[in-house]
Amino acid sequence: MSVNKEALFAHAFNVLPGLGALRLGRILKFFGSFETAWASRHQEIIFKTGDEALSAILEPRARIDPESEWKKLESSGIRVVSLFDESYPSLLKEIPHPPAILYYRGKLGDTHPAVAVVGTRRATRYGLEVAEILARDLASAGICVVSGLALGIDSRAHRGTLNTGGKTIAVLGSGINHIYPVQNKGLAEKIIEQGGAVVSEFPPDYPPDRWTFPQRNRIVAGLSKLVVVVEAPQKSGALITANLALDYNRDVGAVPGEVLSVNSFGANALLKNGAAVIRSSQDVFEILGIETPSNQMLDKLNGDDQYLVDLLEEPSGTDSLLEKSGLEPGVLNQKLTLLELSGKIKNIGGIFHKA
């Protein structure tokens, strides 16, 4: 890894405890260069930024050797890109507070076109299936899938992409040396192996915290042209990502969910407020202006879905389908909703018909 002076000094500032992304950005704003700022006296930095709290934060700077810190990155295989680099993701540069520095393992590059697929950690079977199939079909069309490596929807979106050999980017709410949750360390390695990237704005050894995950959501939204929320309760990090995407003038879509499901409250609320309805990958392609075959996502039925469609050779109501299918009521309702939205079945006066 060749030495990039701006990245080197950005990293040196970033390892100062308590500095944070906003202060790092403020230093860059007033000095125009991290190298220049590093060579400046403490009082000059405090005076220019107007931040008295920097006095204590900058004190350990005298004990930091930027070259040594950089060598630690090189030896650990962590790559760095700063705002000054041509390889910095162009979409991410457009947001109000882009990270001054990104750490990553794998291949980052530019991410066009990229779509974020996000949702709750406590996903239902319906949400997990949709996330995996949607990500798989998007990746098959050459779209980079972005998510947060969390349990639930995020993990399934990453796995769906990997299953078709596609590229996916995982944005962490911790340093790269602290993969969280630990259960997804293997998933992170597979993402890197298949040409994707694991990315963070936090120094490599930074541990996860409650506030770091909402902060990383701006990167998920910033890397993507479209954010798709699969499942999200009323208070969900996925909704933070969607709202940030709207602030950044990006498209937002949501997968319709069962109206009585707590996990669908957030996604359905987004739809009520004007988010695009995402019934299949074809809806995503239309938003992005990409021409692709229409036989995506829900045209590829899994075993339960196909069984339900086959049961409707003779039109049936919900009670009859519950008895015949053996599915739980919530699962059945979710599947019927998705099949109806995909055009596989029709609901006529409460009786379901095969389309």
Side-chain angles (χ1 to χ4, degrees):
M1 179 164 52
S2 61
V3 176
N4 177 319
K5 289 291 186 181
E6 281 305 312
L8 182 150
F9 288 106
H11 172 56
F13 270 115
N14 207 27
V15 297
L16 291 172
L19 188 65
L22 288 178
R23 285 194 170 103
L24 193 63
R26 196 176 299 135
I27 288 171
L28 179 60
K29 175 184 176 181
F30 286 101
F31 284 88
S33 161
F34 288 115
E35 184 176 8
T36 301
W38 189 266
S40 302
R41 292 179 295 109
H42 290 357
Q43 288 306 314
E44 184 179 0
I45 297 174
I46 295 166
F47 175 76
K48 284 197 173 185
T49 60
D51 188 347
E52 290 292 337
L54 276 173
S55 179
I57 294 171
L58 292 173
E59 193 276 330
R61 190 167 57 135
R63 299 189 293 274
I64 292 176
D65 177 10
E67 298 284 350
S68 296
E69 294 296 331
W70 188 262
K71 287 178 181 178
K72 291 179 186 177
L73 292 178
E74 288 184 313
S75 63
S76 63
I78 297 173
R79 303 175 68 86
V80 178
V81 61
S82 78
L83 268 171
F84 293 91
D85 297 325
E86 291 184 3
S87 57
Y88 191 94
S90 56
L91 272 179
L92 190 57
K93 280 186 178 180
E94 297 175 3
I95 72 173
H97 299 289
I101 184 172
L102 287 174
Y103 305 90
Y104 67 97
R105 282 196 173 107
K107 297 178 181 178
L108 184 57
D110 222 335
T111 57
H112 290 310
V115 172
V117 178
V118 296
T120 180
R121 290 170 171 80
R122 298 178 179 178
T124 65
R125 179 178 173 182
Y126 163 82
L128 295 173
E129 288 179 356
V130 171
E132 181 170 351
I133 299 170
L134 178 60
R136 180 193 69 196
D137 290 345
L138 294 178
S140 295
I143 292 172
C144 176
V145 175
V146 181
S147 200
L149 201 71
L151 298 176
I153 298 298
D154 289 18
S155 295
R156 196 61 73 92
H158 289 307
R159 294 186 190 281
T161 305
L162 296 175
N163 289 343
T164 195
K167 176 177 179 177
T168 182
I169 293 176
V171 185
L172 303 181
S174 58
I176 286 180
N177 290 338
H178 278 278
I179 298 295
Y180 183 87
V182 293
Q183 300 97 307
N184 278 347
K185 281 187 176 181
L187 177 58
E189 291 301 322
K190 289 180 181 178
I191 289 172
I192 294 167
E193 289 170 7
Q194 286 196 199
V198 176
V199 180
S200 176
E201 69 175 321
F202 302 106
D205 293 321
Y206 203 92
D209 206 336
R210 290 184 65 180
W211 63 269
T212 59
F213 296 99
Q215 181 171 312
R216 69 91 189 270
N217 289 345
R218 82 187 198 287
I219 301 176
V220 174
L223 287 170
S224 311
K225 291 183 68 66
L226 165 68
V227 171
V228 178
V229 177
V230 176
E231 269 190 333
Q234 187 172 7
K235 294 181 179 180
S236 169
L239 298 185
I240 294 175
T241 306
N243 288 328
L244 287 168
L246 291 172
D247 290 342
Y248 303 158
N249 199 29
R250 307 293 164 80
D251 289 309
V252 172
V255 174
E258 184 184 5
V259 295
L260 297 180
S261 171
V262 172
N263 270 8
S264 294
F265 184 93
N268 288 341
L270 287 173
L271 294 173
K272 180 181 178 181
N273 292 325
V277 178
I278 305 298
R279 301 161 298 177
S280 72
S281 53
Q282 187 63 28
D283 289 327
V284 174
F285 301 142
E286 290 176 5
I287 293 170
L288 298 179
I290 298 174
E291 292 186 10
T292 56
S294 61
N295 59 337
Q296 300 285 335
M297 190 180 168
L298 296 176
D299 285 341
K300 304 173 183 177
L301 302 180
N302 64 26
D304 284 347
D305 296 331
Q306 187 61 60
Y307 180 57
L308 283 175
V309 173
D310 291 343
L311 286 177
L312 293 176
E313 292 293 345
E314 179 179 327
S316 302
T318 304
D319 290 343
S320 176
L321 288 172
L322 278 171
E323 184 179 349
K324 292 177 181 177
S325 68
L327 295 172
E328 293 293 326
V331 173
L332 176 64
N333 288 334
Q334 290 170 343
K335 287 185 173 296
L336 290 174
T337 298
L338 202 53
L339 288 170
E340 187 178 356
L341 287 168
S342 70
K344 297 295 181 185
I345 65 175
K346 294 179 180 179
N347 184 346
I348 304 174
I351 301 298
F352 292 94
H353 301 251
K354 185 176 181 179

